[in-house]
Amino acid sequence: MNYILFDGPARNALLPLSFTRPVADILIGILTIRQKWEAYLGSTTTTLTEEYLSEKFPMVEMEHNVMINASFLPNANLVDMVQNLESNQAIFKGDEVIAFYTNEEQEEVDFDTYEIIEFSDDCLTVQNTWDIFSKNDAALRADFELVTQDRKSQPMPKSVNTIAPENIFIEEGAQLAFVTLNASTGPIYIGKNAVIMEGSVIRGPFALCEGAVVKMAAKIYGATSVGPYSKIGGEVNNAVLFANSNKGHEGFLGNSVLGEWCNIGADTNNSNLKNNYEEVKLWSYETEGFAKTGLQFCGLIMGDHSKCGINTMFNTGTVVGVSANIFGSGFPRNFVPSFSWGGAAGFTTYTTSKAFATAKLVMSRRNVDFDEKEQAILEQVFEETKKWRKE
């Protein structure tokens, strides 16, 4: 069967992270949503997403296809239902479609003509940006079982101080010495060729993905995930970093999500709790206003390629778009549009020529090309986000 992951109605609620990737390629837990589905299905997937993303994330349509809403995370029961879908059948949870069967001859899909199968079990969903960190605990535990099933961990180095070592899994090539790992509060996964430097203290649930680095004497609380080739240091609590981002210095990051190719300057801090302890609201691209999160703890959401200088201070519930460059004293406003340059004193437009030159340099350090596909995506984001910038 040919499986296609589609963005679904949650796509706009997941901006700015979904400006530069399909919903399927959001990291939560140890794996991206796509990687979870592919592991369960035993099959590769392609993507139905925004047109400007489709060259980098193409869709392959075949004679028979199953379309899957990428905002739903797989579990054994759901996957079993998806794999048993037949022609003219669809799986719904309430009013929202999870998956449906199509063929290449269908010009449109009319669910009124489908046999509707109700999925009544619980499953994790990613419907909002804050779900990524608030549901990371459950996602990480589920991924740990999936990734480590019937496998044996690499041996624990003798200098490592552990609590509940049976809940720790170390992949080949990982390096760690003179660190403390407490997995009594949740599993700890250390990916292939990852590094944890001396003096670090980590409480699970925690995932350090392939090639990622924990800097010396870091203090990390779960549930935290560090994406492939990212770096993390200082004090971190319940944060998710996508691939190739850096928060390598002192300073606090809590209840937050960083996209790819982000860099957090030394001694940068974010607030994750309002002084009056009230519910945190976050900027919504859908309503162009501030949406209730239902959360008391909510920090920073930062889109791909954004950076901040040393000693930057982010207020509770701040949303930073794509390719923003933030610096200076004081608190910048809690919505920073994409391609903004400045800080609390005010912003100007970060021109694409300068932003692209920086992106090219940053990516080249990891031996990744800033190619025409990447440039075209960011050009589209620049155009789509003009209305929120003061030109």
Side-chain angles (χ1 to χ4, degrees), residues 62-117:
M62 301 178 73
E63 184 177 356
H64 300 284
N65 311 281
V66 170
M67 310 289 292
I68 301 171
N69 185 339
S71 63
F72 285 81
L73 276 56
N75 60 38
N77 290 341
L78 179 55
V79 170
D80 184 62
M81 291 176 67
V82 168
Q83 289 179 318
N84 285 290
L85 272 176
E86 297 179 359
S87 181
N88 222 48
Q89 288 183 332
I91 302 170
F92 272 72
K93 188 170 181 63
D95 295 330
E96 193 163 6
V97 63
I98 299 177
F100 58 97
Y101 192 109
T102 66
N103 61 65
E104 62 182 355
E105 296 176 357
Q106 286 182 267
E107 293 184 3
E108 60 181 36
V109 174
D110 180 4
F111 289 124
D112 289 337
T113 67
Y114 271 63
E115 177 191 351
I116 303 302
I117 303 170

Side-chain angles (χ1 to χ4, degrees), residues 37-59:
W37 275 106
E38 291 183 347
Y40 270 103
L41 294 167
S43 172
T44 58
T45 63
T46 59
T47 309
L48 177 60
T49 185
E50 298 294 306
E51 185 176 351
Y52 73 91
L53 293 172
S54 61
E55 187 175 354
K56 182 178 178 182
F57 304 96
M59 180 179 74

Side-chain angles (χ1 to χ4, degrees), residues 4 6 32 70 75 92 111 122 142 147 160 165 188 209 237 253 261 263 276 305 325 329 338 344 362 370 373:
I4 300 170
F6 67 92
T32 65
N75 60 38
F92 272 72
F111 289 124
D122 292 331
V147 169
V160 176
I188 293 176
C209 298
N237 178 37
L253 181 71
W261 307 109
N263 190 71
N276 58 11
H305 291 284
N325 199 307
S329 61
S338 298
V362 169
F370 180 69
K373 292 179 185 178

Side-chain angles (χ1 to χ4, degrees), residues 283-295:
W283 171 262
S284 166
Y285 285 85
E286 289 185 295
T287 64
E288 300 188 21
F290 287 87
K292 293 182 177 180
T293 64
L295 300 174

Side-chain angles (χ1 to χ4, degrees), residues 16-17 20-21 242 259-262 302-306 321-324:
L17 301 167
T20 46
R21 64 178 53 75
F242 293 1
E260 292 190 56
W261 307 109
C262 297
M302 179 178 277
D304 289 10
H305 291 284
S306 286
V322 174
S323 284

